[in-house]
Amino acid sequence: MRLALPLAFVLTSAVPVWADMPPAQGHVLLTLGGAVSETNLPARGENDGGLLGFLEVQHDGAAGFDASMLDGLKQVEITIPYGPEGNQRDIAFSGPRLSDVMIMAGAEGKTAKPMAMDGYQSEILWDSIATHQPIVATHADGTPMGIGGYGPTMIVFPPTEDAELAADQSGQQVWALAYIGIE
């Protein structure tokens, strides 16, 4: 009986909080592939087609998030001036923290390489993600973001007074986000 308690403790304490990646029930809005430990999507080869095929994305399995999965995470709102130069307006973006999405996919501590539907890609180091807490925006001014605008998802950083940091983060605020490679 003395052995049962330590073994039960080991079994329950060794299981990560997000041990089972739930399957997406709706259309996948965002895919995290590469160095993820939690997956719910099968591997992709070079001839698999679709948007990720167009972007030449391949992986051994990935974490796919639908709207309800993203909405089920704690929501954060960030209001920033956004839009074309000379025609910006304040937009209230909302969605889960990028760090929470990465943790759910088993990618805590890793580098994110968000990629837009047109192939534009940036790189965000975990230290920046943990320090500045960008979100994966799914809504703009309370409305789900659709394809053809900034959506279906977008990386949004909180505003900063540091001009150099703001310039760096501007290139990392990938809109029309389709895929995040994890390294």
Side-chain angles (χ1 to χ4, degrees):
M1 193 62 140
R2 232 173 30 183
L3 187 58
L5 181 58
L7 181 58
F9 175 75
V10 169
L11 289 175
T12 59
S13 65
V15 177
V17 174
W18 298 102
D20 294 315
M21 180 78 182
Q25 300 300 310
H27 295 288
V28 172
L29 300 181
L30 180 64
T31 302
L32 276 69
V36 296
S37 63
E38 302 299 323
T39 63
N40 61 1
L41 296 175
R44 286 192 53 83
E46 69 178 276
N47 297 317
D48 284 349
L51 176 62
L52 295 183
F54 168 75
L55 296 172
E56 299 179 354
V57 169
Q58 297 177 45
H59 54 69
D60 294 329
F65 292 84
D66 64 17
S68 66
M69 293 168 74
L70 293 170
D71 291 345
L73 295 170
K74 180 181 178 192
Q75 301 295 293
V76 176
E77 184 174 289
I78 297 174
T79 300
I80 59 170
Y82 206 78
E85 184 102 14
N87 194 24
Q88 292 187 338
R89 67 177 183 86
D90 283 349
I91 298 177
F93 291 102
S94 60
R97 287 187 175 92
L98 175 57
S99 58
D100 292 344
V101 173
M102 289 176 65
I103 289 167
M104 189 171 177
E108 182 175 8
K110 302 198 167 125
T111 297
K113 295 184 130 186
M115 181 183 289
M117 291 182 182
D118 67 359
Y120 175 82
Q121 188 169 31
S122 71
E123 179 176 281
I124 312 171
L125 302 177
W126 178 260
D127 287 346
S128 179
I129 294 166
T131 301
H132 304 293
Q133 291 296 314
I135 63 171
V136 176
T138 57
H139 291 74
D141 292 332
T143 302
M145 296 188 310
I147 296 173
Y150 300 124
T153 62
M154 176 181 169
I155 302 293
V156 177
F157 281 85
T160 179
E161 296 297 321
D162 182 328
E164 187 176 326
L165 179 60
D168 287 344
Q169 291 175 345
S170 175
Q172 297 171 337
Q173 289 194 149
V174 177
W175 52 276
L177 181 61
Y179 178 77
I180 300 177
I182 302 294
E183 294 182 351

